[in-house]
């Protein structure tokens, strides 16, 4: 199947999920996750109109970033080691995996050097799986309170990963939980501003995530395929 065909199919499914949940299509943004494809395929995705590109590791992303650069908006969606922050800040517009103060400190330090602000999503481990990164839900507001010490970080929203389920419907409580956490964070006034975004939903469960309020879905195989 061609890239354009996959994009059309995904677009139709997003449209249906928006219809079912009474949402506007323009409120859902798509990140093309290119970690399993070549630089050429990643470039094709951008040329086909996929503006946002997501990568999990700088080692894998570097060649693509150097080839495509500012033609795409770059999202770092994997676990970010503190010693890799220097490679990522200034190149990736969004960091989806802020889950500890040591990382916040490094992000803030490198952003300050560049005179920029970094948009981050706080990663929350809603499902409680031991194999997943992210804050436990009860630590979200205390963590957000401590971020005032880092003026070069701006929180764009929250991010989570649902467990792999044979039936996508089984992921719904996780996505609903993240939405409720965002609303609770905003009601608390902890950050001093409201956050809108929810980064949740991948190839196997993005429709359920959209129905529960996702504003960013991270789509790899279903959108750009898988190579190797």
């Amino acid at each position: 199947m061609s890239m354009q065909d996959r994009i059309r199919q995904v677009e139709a499914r997003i449209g249906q999920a928006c219809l079912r949940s009474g949402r506007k299509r323009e409120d859902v943004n798509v990140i093309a996750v290119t970690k399993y494809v070549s630089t050429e395929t990643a470039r094709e995705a951008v040329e086909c109109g996929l503006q946002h590109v997501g990568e999990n590791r700088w080692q894998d992303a570097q060649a693509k970033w150097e080839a495509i650069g500012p033609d795409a908006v770059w999202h770092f969606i994997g676990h970010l080691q503190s010693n890799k922050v220097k490679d990522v800040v200034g190149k990736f517009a969004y960091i989806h995996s802020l889950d500890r103060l040591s990382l916040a400190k490094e992000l803030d330090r490198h952003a300050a050097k560049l005179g920029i602000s970094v948009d981050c999503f706080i990663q929350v481990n809603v499902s409680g799986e031991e194999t997943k990164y992210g804050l436990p839900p009860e630590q979200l507001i205390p963590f957000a309170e401590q971020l005032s010490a880092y003026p070069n970080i701006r929180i764009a929203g929250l991010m989570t990963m649902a467990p792999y389920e044979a039936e996508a419907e089984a992921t719904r409580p996780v996505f609903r939980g993240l939405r409720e956490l965002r609303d609770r964070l905003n009601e608390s006034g902890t950050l001093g501003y409201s956050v809108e975004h929810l980064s949740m939903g991948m190839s196997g469960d993005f429709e359920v995530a959209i129905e529960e309020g996702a504003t960013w879905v991270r789509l790899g195989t279903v959108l750009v395929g898988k190579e190797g």
Side-chain angles (χ1 to χ4, degrees):
M1 188 186 296
S2 73
M3 180 84 68
Q4 288 285 19
D5 287 338
R6 278 196 296 269
I7 291 170
R8 274 193 290 270
Q9 285 190 359
V10 167
E11 189 57 45
R13 291 170 64 183
I14 291 172
Q16 287 297 315
C18 288
L19 272 177
R20 286 194 298 273
S21 50
R23 299 186 64 202
K24 295 177 183 166
R25 170 63 190 89
E26 57 265 30
D27 292 341
V28 180
N29 303 283
V30 175
I31 301 167
V33 179
T34 53
K35 65 175 177 173
Y36 292 125
V37 298
S38 65
T39 298
E40 292 72 27
T41 301
R43 182 188 287 285
E44 182 190 357
V46 174
E47 288 170 351
C48 286
L50 296 170
Q51 182 186 1
H52 297 272
V53 172
E55 282 280 337
N56 285 53
R57 288 154 52 95
W58 171 244
Q59 299 95 300
D60 301 330
Q62 184 172 2
K64 293 169 191 161
W65 189 87
E66 288 170 355
I68 298 166
D71 290 345
V73 178
W74 292 81
H75 296 249
F76 195 90
I77 60 174
H79 180 68
L80 182 56
Q81 296 169 306
S82 295
N83 65 351
K84 299 294 183 200
V85 167
K86 64 184 184 301
D87 299 317
V88 168
V89 171
K91 300 182 181 77
F92 286 73
Y94 295 90
I95 310 294
H96 286 244
S97 48
L98 176 58
D99 62 355
R100 59 201 189 281
L101 286 174
S102 58
L103 178 58
K105 182 179 180 181
E106 281 299 290
L107 288 166
D108 184 73
R109 187 166 72 87
H110 285 281
K113 276 187 193 172
L114 296 173
I116 61 173
S117 175
V118 185
D119 283 324
C120 296
F121 290 78
I122 299 174
Q123 183 170 357
V124 186
N125 186 357
V126 178
S127 69
E129 283 184 287
E130 288 184 9
T131 54
K132 296 268 196 300
Y133 291 106
L135 296 170
E138 64 274 12
Q139 288 182 18
L140 172 62
I141 288 177
F143 180 75
E145 284 171 351
Q146 294 175 287
L147 292 178
S148 60
Y150 306 107
N152 299 288
I153 290 176
R154 182 170 177 83
I155 300 304
L158 305 183
M159 182 272 242
T160 201
M161 296 174 69
Y164 173 77
E165 300 283 2
E167 295 292 331
E169 182 60 33
T171 62
R172 191 176 297 277
V174 172
F175 298 139
R176 182 178 296 145
L178 193 72
R179 171 166 49 86
E180 290 169 351
L181 284 168
R182 178 204 57 192
D183 295 347
R184 208 174 306 154
L185 176 64
N186 285 339
E187 285 161 13
S188 75
T190 302
L191 289 169
Y193 54 89
S194 285
V195 299
E196 171 191 359
H197 290 293
L198 295 171
S199 170
M200 59 188 194
M202 301 194 293
S203 287
D205 53 27
F206 68 92
E207 290 145 304
V208 177
I210 290 168
E211 290 168 8
E212 290 299 332
T215 62
W216 292 93
V217 291
R218 309 181 302 269
L219 304 181
T221 313
V222 74
L223 189 61
V224 298
K226 186 173 181 177
E227 299 162 3

